[in-house]
Amino acid sequence: LPGAAVTKKNRLQSIPLSARIAILSMVFIVPLATISYFHVAQYSAGTASSVSQANLIVDMTVVAVMALFACFVAFLTARSIIVPTHELAAKIDGIGRSWSVIEYLPDGTVVTANENFLALMGYKLVDIAGRHHSIFVDVDYAKTDEYRSFWDKLNRGEFIAQKYKRKGAGGKDVWIQTNYIPILDGVGKPFKVVNFMNDVTAMEQEREAQMQEQAHVVHGLAAGLKELSDGILTARIEEKFSGQYDELRIDFNTALS
């Protein structure tokens, strides 16, 4: 199958070059070592000619050189694998300390979560492990096509970055700026979803408070202007606005003084 060929090619390309060289070296070392073994056997039995003895010396020298070469390449291979692995582990550890992280199976089942996430949402790991992601959303929203589409995208391997309102323990609202990242297996199928997030609840609450205050200001001004349009020239806005918005109220009242 074409897909199978592509998969095999991708797997081969994923093997470090140094590892491929080491494997190729072993392909030559094994038969040479076998030939050398028979030459040694002949030499030990006293049946080896001077030519066989010379071949034995050449074979042993070639095998020794190639064995040393293979060991050197193997060392480079181990270094090329281990060092990036340590770097990757350090990066993941750094992300875990600064971000809230939770992992899911493709069907939405919680696998694990770090301490930052548990503290943010107010849960213990035992409370959420094995349960579905829907415990973090409104009950009604969990039944919508939009929510089903959300998981369909992740199961297609699509990356999602967005701001969401989620539900923490006790039903508290938690706003998160989040990244849902599907982790793919060797054939490109998601086998896990990792969710990195930052808490933006305070900023969102401040934004909502500002919007409410702006709506209050608009309502107050509209009421004052309505009185003017009705011919009430003594109209005043008595209720104070918060912060700099109160200057609008003062200017309005001053203009009618």
Side-chain angles (χ1 to χ4, degrees):
L1 294 175
V6 171
T7 301
K8 290 180 179 179
K9 182 179 179 181
N10 291 340
R11 289 177 179 173
L12 178 61
Q13 291 176 343
S14 67
I15 301 175
L17 177 60
S18 52
R20 286 185 246 173
I21 295 174
I23 294 171
L24 185 62
S25 299
M26 293 304 297
V27 170
F28 287 100
I29 289 174
V30 171
L32 285 173
T34 303
I35 295 172
S36 298
Y37 170 79
F38 286 112
H39 286 167
V40 170
Q42 289 178 347
Y43 184 80
S44 299
T47 59
S49 64
S50 59
V51 176
S52 297
Q53 294 178 23
N55 289 338
L56 173 62
I57 294 172
V58 172
D59 292 342
M60 294 295 288
T61 301
V62 171
V63 169
V65 170
M66 294 199 70
L68 288 173
F69 176 72
C71 290
F72 175 69
V73 174
F75 166 75
L76 294 179
T77 302
R79 183 181 178 187
S80 67
I81 295 173
I82 293 174
V83 172
T85 300
H86 286 317
E87 292 178 355
L88 178 60
K91 291 177 181 178
I92 293 174
D93 183 61
I95 291 173
R97 288 197 304 269
S98 58
W99 289 67
S100 298
V101 184
I102 184 169
E103 298 181 9
Y104 303 94
L105 295 177
D107 64 359
T109 302
V110 176
V111 177
T112 188
N114 70 355
E115 291 299 326
N116 291 343
F117 178 87
L118 298 174
L120 172 62
M121 305 300 286
Y123 284 109
K124 294 181 180 179
L125 183 58
V126 68
D127 297 328
I128 62 174
R131 301 182 66 183
H132 194 267
H133 172 273
S134 56
I135 64 173
F136 304 125
V137 303
D138 288 324
V139 175
D140 292 337
Y141 177 70
K143 300 174 183 178
T144 63
D145 291 338
E146 181 181 347
Y147 184 66
R148 284 189 288 271
S149 176
F150 169 82
W151 280 103
D152 288 343
K153 288 180 180 179
L154 293 174
N155 275 275
R156 291 196 298 268
E158 296 181 25
F159 175 90
I160 297 177
Q162 198 169 323
K163 181 170 62 179
Y164 290 105
K165 182 172 74 171
R166 297 302 190 215
K167 291 292 183 181
K172 70 174 182 178
D173 289 337
V174 179
W175 284 90
I176 55 174
Q177 187 67 48
T178 183
N179 299 297
Y180 288 87
I181 305 174
I183 307 300
L184 309 182
D185 60 18
V187 295
K189 183 178 180 180
F191 68 92
K192 180 167 61 175
V193 175
V194 181
N195 181 201
F196 300 93
M197 69 194 74
N198 275 326
D199 179 20
V200 294
T201 304
M203 291 191 302
E204 192 63 24
Q205 289 174 342
E206 181 180 354
R207 187 185 70 83
E208 288 182 351
Q210 289 177 347
M211 290 180 63
Q212 290 176 359
E213 182 57 31
Q214 289 171 358
H216 175 63
V217 169
V218 170
H219 177 75
L221 290 174
L225 292 172
K226 177 65 168 59
E227 289 184 358
L228 284 177
S229 67
D230 291 339
I232 305 175
L233 301 180
T234 58
R236 297 290 186 274
I237 301 175
E238 301 297 341
E239 186 177 355
K240 289 185 176 182
F241 299 152
S242 65
Q244 62 184 3
Y245 294 120
D246 200 47
E247 294 181 9
L248 292 173
R249 182 186 68 87
I250 295 173
D251 290 342
F252 180 90
N253 292 340
T254 300
L256 298 177
S257 299

